Amino acid sequence: MLKLDILVLSVHPDDAELGCSGTILKHIAHGKKVGMVDLTRGELGTRGSAEIRDQEAAASAKILGLAVRENLGLPDGFFENTREYQLKVIAAIRKYQPSIVITNAYHDRHPDHGRANELVETSAFLAGLRKIETSVESALQDAWRPDLVLHFIQDNYIRPDILIDVTDFWDKKIESIRAFGSQFHNPEWEGEPQTYISSPEFINVVAARAMEFGKSIGVKYAEGFTSRKILGVDNLFSLK
Ligand SMILES: [Zn+2]
């Protein structure tokens, strides 16, 4: 069994690259095992197709150095926080037994993001209840509840509860975003309709947000996270 330190559960392939790939890269560089389970294939995206997104997600997984990247194939735009989908997310959490789960922002421009946050938060709790039975390849799974669920910040400004310095990993983060050539500004895709995220300015906005967060802690780039749980640290000097 592959046990992960961090499991990233986000709704669209590319959300995690935008929201938390610097943090992923940093923890992998520190020897942590990180994997991703995307909830949908992003099949409703205006540009490209589900097949192209699959290839882009695989290319980005290589850039990031993920231990695994899977897709649950939930219906983009139409999944709900219901038993049917909770059981799929519970099975994914139990399969990899992560200490930390990272998921989408609790509210955002795209309504899927907030719904994914609720679905993952609910499922992370339920995954710890042993009377809920799930199986993988017909073997019954053990109950597992992650210690912590964090939410990254994507389009809407949300005041973060913690900031992670990702300055050393910024270029690699941009490379992982650029792996989604169909979604972001790319001269090869000029004939396709333009979207909110495909304009050349979009990447500048991602950088501006990270620089604004970075400034708060005296570094160049940072990623922000929120948590429903109150967070603690070993001692005050771990804070900056
Ligand atoms: Zn998204």
Side-chain angles (χ1 to χ4, degrees):
M1 196 198 82
L2 172 64
K3 189 185 177 313
L4 295 174
D5 297 301
I6 300 175
L7 173 61
V8 183
L9 282 154
S10 45
V11 60
H12 307 120
D14 77 13
D15 286 344
E17 280 78 0
L18 291 165
C20 67
S21 54
T23 301
I24 291 171
L25 286 159
K26 186 172 202 175
H27 286 81
I28 292 173
H30 289 175
K32 300 293 186 194
K33 269 204 168 67
V34 183
M36 248 188 229
V37 174
D38 301 315
L39 303 187
T40 78
R41 296 171 74 204
E43 65 269 21
L44 297 186
T46 304
R47 288 154 61 108
S49 64
E51 290 72 24
I52 291 171
R53 297 285 283 275
D54 290 346
Q55 292 164 13
E56 293 169 343
S60 167
K62 269 212 187 105
I63 293 166
L64 296 174
L66 299 178
V68 65
R69 185 169 201 166
E70 282 181 21
N71 198 299
L72 287 186
L74 305 192
D76 190 12
F78 295 101
F79 69 91
E80 297 282 349
N81 185 11
T82 57
R83 181 189 169 101
E84 178 189 2
Y85 301 126
Q86 287 159 7
L87 287 171
K88 293 189 175 183
V89 179
I90 290 168
I93 291 169
R94 288 175 172 177
K95 183 174 175 188
Y96 295 114
Q97 304 192 343
S99 305
I100 299 175
V101 161
I102 300 180
T103 190
N104 287 97
Y106 63 84
H107 70 79
D108 218 344
R109 171 182 172 273
H110 196 314
D112 276 2
H113 296 175
R115 277 186 299 114
N117 175 291
E118 285 172 26
L119 172 61
V120 171
E121 279 275 3
T122 306
S123 305
F125 183 84
L126 295 178
L129 301 179
R130 54 190 303 225
K131 288 189 177 164
I132 297 174
E133 288 190 358
T134 54
S135 53
V136 68
E137 287 156 14
S138 70
L140 222 51
Q141 294 181 300
D142 290 331
W144 182 268
R145 185 173 296 145
D147 300 329
L148 181 63
V149 180
L150 293 174
H151 326 134
F152 55 79
I153 293 165
Q154 202 169 325
D155 287 310
N156 287 0
Y157 178 84
I158 295 174
R159 186 190 159 92
D161 294 326
I162 52 164
L163 290 169
I164 309 283
D165 174 8
V166 296
T167 308
D168 292 345
F169 302 92
W170 189 257
D171 292 346
K172 207 73 178 170
K173 174 188 170 98
I174 295 298
E175 205 186 314
S176 77
I177 294 171
R178 295 253 182 243
F180 290 85
S182 69
Q183 300 303 299
F184 303 106
H185 181 64
N186 178 350
E188 287 171 32
W189 283 76
E190 238 149 48
E192 290 271 312
Q194 293 299 313
T195 67
Y196 171 76
I197 62 172
S198 74
S199 73
E201 293 78 33
F202 180 75
I203 284 283
N204 294 341
V205 174
V206 173
R209 169 71 53 74
M211 288 171 84
E212 184 186 20
F213 284 162
K215 188 169 181 294
S216 309
I217 54 170
V219 303
K220 187 158 186 202
Y221 295 109
E223 288 174 340
F225 297 86
T226 61
S227 166
R228 282 195 172 84
K229 185 175 151 182
I230 295 173
L231 302 169
V233 286
D234 277 344
N235 69 74
L236 294 175
F237 293 90
S238 297
L239 296 167
K240 57 179 173 180

